[in-house]
Amino acid sequence: MRKRTRGIALASLASLAAVVGYDVTQNRRAILRNFPLVGHFRYLLEGFGPELRQYIVTSNNEERPFSRDQRRWIKNSSEGQPSVFGFGTDDEVEAVDNLVIIKHSPFPAPAPTGDEPGAQPDFEVPAAKVLGAAHGRKHAFRPASVVNISGMSFGALSPPAVEALNRGAAIAGCLQNTGEGGISPYHRNGGELIFQVGTGYFACRDDEGRFSLERLLETVEGAPVRAIEIKLSQGAKPGLGGLLPAAKVTPEIAACRGVPVGVDCVSPPSHSAFGDVDGLIEFVEQVAGATGLPVGIKSAVGELGFWEELASRMNATGGGPDFITIDGGEGGTGAAPLAFADHVSLPFKLGFASAYSSLARAGLAGDIVFIGAGRLGFPDAALFASALGCDMFNVGREAMMSIGCIQAQRCHTGGCPAGVATQSRWLMGGLDPQLKSTQAANYIVNLRAELLALARSCGVSHPAQVTPDHIEIVSERYGHAPLREVFGYEADWPIPGTVAPELAADA
């Protein structure tokens, strides 16, 4: 009996060792690679989730910032699994709370056959919106994808995560924003870039930390940079700045940013190169003139007078940003104090509508490419943003989830168990950038496909043709009104994605 018991024990240990061996050598799941054996319990409990949630824990739509339904949609889309849900919606549609309804057409637009003369892929930004054309930038271009990867810095994200996203961008044919941490070797794997200039001027600063145009030119020369974005603020912590602790400033990160090794890397709250709207416009024109690239700004929306003044001075000077990225207060991958995350800056819908209105009233809506960010990585959210005037959409946390992020919310600790937001060699070792790049590309491709399908259900062929009248907002006591009325959009404003005929012809 004792020998039999010993044999069973040895067989059990051998089985466990085999599982551990498999876990540490496989590359599909970073959680299992970093936490062999124990990680299986996470997936086991996730598998029983629907049954458990009938009695305890949360429903499919209660968790924040992303619900279980949303996370499952991203996971299935990225892994090539069906992203459909059975047995009807589990939303309580009768409990009306600003319900958003997409008004489908009885005659949906058919998908193009590709046989039309000069036909272009239907996920491109419309020909009428050429980035930089309105201001005559030398390297103006039409972005190939309406969905792109948001700014997430090397240092905040691990090297394999940055590489996976860049490779994924190359596969999907979209752009990757570098974030304000400079251009690393991991950004050079085939994906084209938008280079972000933050308040710390990393990778474009002199020895005193001031902006250096010469250093900027050195950084973008030879790199696959298609445009430059000047970050005024971000949704997670507008007006606060940021800090990469000294312990995370490795020699590689320091070299990319142009800062000392092992010293706190500080992003100030505001820019030192300019301090008012006229200074901002001059700075944009200086950078665009020297590089020939389209130059834009990124900002959360707080004080509305800024946008009125920007529109006024752009009309007066003829200069200004080629694109504007609006980040909602609900967005942001960075760590932030709770008060800033919860209460500073307007949420995306209100913020974008306010900024867009200021520029549309000034007659500038057709000259600027509008980019939205802040939980827009889902087809319905992106279509709503299109109706508000967005030409493009940036996905941040959703892109992180496509390469393995499990919403552990440990980004600020450096202990991301999936190896995405960490500099721990142990944890990042579980993330295979080759495999995860395919998942990132799958997610972007599937998001574009469903977004286009929603647009066609409205009877139009592209999201840019969706108007505020395609969206109905249902409020309490079953009152309802079109988006145009709710947000005060005027009927004579241009349909999002369209510009003056002469610019369209130039495209």
Side-chain angles (χ1 to χ4, degrees):
M1 178 66 71
R2 185 175 299 173
K3 287 184 177 180
R4 184 180 177 185
T5 303
R6 185 181 300 169
I8 293 173
L10 289 174
S12 299
L13 288 173
S15 298
L16 292 175
V19 173
V20 171
Y22 169 78
D23 288 346
V24 298
T25 55
Q26 60 83 39
N27 59 8
R28 282 196 62 80
R29 299 193 184 278
I31 295 295
L32 296 182
R33 199 168 179 179
N34 291 336
F35 302 95
L37 195 61
V38 177
H40 286 279
F41 287 100
R42 188 253 177 196
Y43 295 105
L44 180 65
L45 291 173
E46 183 182 52
F48 285 121
E51 291 80 9
L52 290 173
R53 289 195 303 273
Q54 290 180 18
Y55 307 102
I56 58 174
V57 200
T58 58
S59 75
N60 285 338
N61 289 309
E62 286 182 337
E63 288 188 284
R64 295 292 182 270
F66 297 95
S67 70
R68 290 179 186 270
D69 274 349
Q70 290 174 319
R71 299 202 311 272
R72 183 153 64 100
W73 185 86
I74 292 173
K75 177 179 179 294
N76 288 358
S77 295
S78 66
E79 294 183 357
Q81 300 175 16
S83 55
V84 295
F85 292 69
F87 213 64
T89 180
D90 56 8
D91 290 350
E92 182 49 77
V93 296
E94 293 295 327
V96 175
D97 182 18
N98 292 324
L99 182 66
V100 175
I101 299 296
I102 297 167
K103 294 157 66 174
H104 73 282
S105 169
F107 307 107
T113 63
D115 297 331
E116 299 86 349
Q120 297 290 334
D122 50 8
F123 52 78
E124 288 184 338
V125 174
K129 280 281 179 121
V130 177
L131 202 62
H135 292 130
R137 308 304 185 200
K138 180 180 178 181
H139 299 302
F141 72 104
R142 178 158 61 102
S145 174
V146 295
V147 179
N148 300 281
I149 298 172
S150 192
M152 295 177 284
S153 301
F154 172 55
L157 295 190
S158 68
V162 174
E163 180 179 342
L165 292 174
N166 188 256
R167 290 181 182 274
I171 296 169
C174 73
L175 298 165
Q176 179 189 22
N177 191 304
T178 63
E180 60 179 316
I183 301 175
S184 71
Y186 312 101
H187 286 106
R188 298 173 182 265
N189 287 279
E192 294 185 326
L193 305 173
I194 293 179
F195 177 67
Q196 189 179 86
V197 177
T199 56
Y201 304 119
F202 302 128
C204 55
R205 56 190 269 153
D206 61 19
D207 293 338
E208 282 73 45
R210 297 170 302 196
F211 174 73
S212 166
L213 184 60
E214 180 182 1
R215 182 75 180 93
L216 172 66
L217 293 172
E218 291 173 0
T219 296
V220 300
E221 184 179 3
V225 174
R226 302 300 307 275
I228 294 173
E229 180 180 80
I230 300 162
K231 187 176 86 168
L232 303 181
S233 59
Q234 66 184 87
K237 48 186 175 182
L240 186 62
L243 169 71
L244 190 67
K248 292 186 177 182
V249 185
T250 64
E252 190 173 36
I253 291 171
C256 290
R257 297 191 176 207
V259 298
V261 178
V263 176
D264 284 346
C265 186
V266 179
S267 297
S270 60
H271 282 266
S272 59
F274 55 87
D276 56 22
V277 170
D278 281 337
L280 169 61
I281 293 174
E282 289 174 8
F283 187 72
V284 166
E285 293 302 319
Q286 177 191 20
V287 171
T291 64
L293 296 170
V295 178
I297 62 174
K298 174 182 179 176
S299 181
V301 177
E303 176 195 330
L304 299 181
F306 164 77
W307 301 99
E308 298 287 346
E309 186 179 357
L310 177 64
S312 173
R313 297 307 299 157
M314 285 181 68
N315 270 332
T317 64
D322 301 296
F323 64 94
I324 294 176
T325 303
I326 298 296
D327 201 9
E330 66 271 55
T333 55
L338 187 62
F340 276 80
D342 286 352
H343 300 292
V344 181
S345 86
L346 292 172
F348 173 77
K349 292 172 184 175
L350 290 174
F352 184 90
S354 298
Y356 182 86
S357 296
S358 296
L359 293 151
R361 279 193 293 269
L364 294 170
D367 296 342
I368 299 167
V369 172
F370 290 92
I371 305 173
R375 292 217 300 249
L376 300 183
F378 303 94
D380 57 315
L383 193 81
F384 192 108
S386 291
L388 285 174
C390 271
D391 303 297
M392 297 164 61
F393 320 94
N394 284 350
V395 293
R397 289 169 295 179
E398 302 94 327
M400 291 169 64
M401 285 189 280
S402 77
I403 62 171
C405 166
I406 60 171
Q407 195 171 280
Q409 297 181 293
R410 292 190 177 183
C411 311
H412 59 296
T413 68
C416 170
V420 177
T422 181
Q423 298 304 311
S424 163
R425 292 189 179 275
W426 164 48
L427 294 172
M428 74 173 72
L431 197 159
D432 183 336
Q434 290 276 5
L435 174 69
K436 297 300 184 182
S437 66
T438 302
Q439 294 182 194
N442 286 344
Y443 160 67
I444 292 166
V445 168
N446 279 296
L447 172 56
R448 289 191 308 224
E450 286 206 24
L451 173 59
L452 289 165
L454 276 179
R456 290 175 186 141
S457 77
C458 295
V460 297
S461 60
H462 192 282
Q465 296 170 311
V466 173
T467 73
D469 295 317
H470 283 111
I471 306 290
E472 196 82 4
I473 309 296
V474 184
S475 56
E476 60 180 353
R477 303 179 77 111
Y478 296 101
H480 60 95
L483 183 150
R484 184 187 301 279
E485 181 179 321
V486 172
F487 287 95
Y489 277 35
E490 298 175 15
D492 60 347
W493 289 353
I495 294 174
T498 62
V499 295
E502 61 271 19
L503 285 179
D506 292 341

